Amino acid sequence: MGRGDRYSRGAIAFHWSIAALVLFNLIVGLFHDAMPRAWGVIPIHKSVGIAVLVLTLGRIGWRITHKPPHLPELLPAWEKATAHTVHFILYALLLVLPVSGWLLSSNPERPRPINWFGLFEIPVLPATPGIAHTAHEAHELLGYLMAALVVIHIAAALRHHFILRDRVLARMLPGAHRLG
């Protein structure tokens, strides 16, 4: 696999870092009510969300300056269009979910500033109670959408690797240039 057939090391690092953080936050977001309160997972969830926001902004900057490899020519047009659409929605969610979480923490009736991993406090955003409530509802619904798209994204990658046996997944794997 040539250099132009795979993602750059920076893109790979952004992808897997964000993927790990998103999976963690999805698990915490979906199951925090069942977790012992003593674990204090929500402050960590908020810190991870801000990290996802910052890394996503970095990833978008990287993407603008580093062209990704093309999808295989043999893929049908509908599949390429679906891949581009799902990626666009994932990028949008990687921005909107953290901002909606930040807004819901900024409710002026009960502001809960984000203490980023105990290092520093991130100030609340200007929000009304109505905006904070809408952000809370959006955060919850969009979290389910993100979970669904993550499952679809993983399933598609595994389909390419194990069923179609093409190089779509391998080009995003660290060290894939060494794979046969």
Side-chain angles (χ1 to χ4, degrees):
M1 181 165 30
R3 270 279 199 218
D5 297 337
R6 59 188 308 265
Y7 284 91
S8 66
R9 285 188 173 121
I12 292 169
F14 275 120
H15 177 272
W16 291 107
S17 298
I18 293 170
L21 295 173
V22 165
L23 286 174
F24 173 84
N25 259 10
L26 284 172
I27 291 166
V28 171
L30 292 171
F31 302 109
H32 69 274
D33 287 334
M35 296 176 185
R37 199 169 186 84
W39 288 3
V41 295
I42 292 302
I44 297 167
H45 177 81
K46 291 177 181 184
S47 293
V48 168
I50 295 297
V52 167
L53 178 61
V54 170
L55 286 170
T56 298
L57 292 171
R59 184 175 183 179
I60 290 169
W62 186 271
R63 178 81 183 256
I64 289 169
T65 60
H66 296 78
K67 189 175 173 139
H70 293 287
L71 289 169
E73 293 296 323
L74 297 175
L75 286 183
W78 71 265
E79 197 167 343
K80 288 179 182 178
T82 301
H84 290 300
T85 300
V86 168
H87 280 100
F88 177 81
I89 295 169
L90 283 169
Y91 273 102
L93 290 172
L94 289 170
L95 296 170
V96 173
L97 270 167
V99 171
S100 65
W102 192 358
L103 276 169
L104 78 90
S105 290
S106 300
N107 187 339
E109 292 177 340
R110 215 175 111 208
R112 294 166 283 172
I114 300 167
N115 188 328
W116 198 73
F117 294 112
L119 298 174
F120 56 87
E121 195 170 279
I122 296 174
V124 296
L125 295 173
T128 64
I131 289 172
H133 176 73
T134 300
H136 183 257
E137 296 302 316
H139 192 72
E140 204 168 286
L141 291 172
L142 294 174
Y144 287 117
L145 177 59
M146 175 64 93
L149 289 179
V150 165
V151 169
I152 290 167
H153 185 69
I154 292 169
L158 294 175
R159 174 181 170 261
H160 279 281
H161 192 72
F162 292 110
I163 296 171
L164 300 178
R165 297 189 181 278
D166 60 24
R167 304 294 291 170
V168 169
L169 174 61
R171 42 191 217 153
M172 184 50 86
L173 295 175
H177 61 284
R178 294 187 299 265
L179 298 176

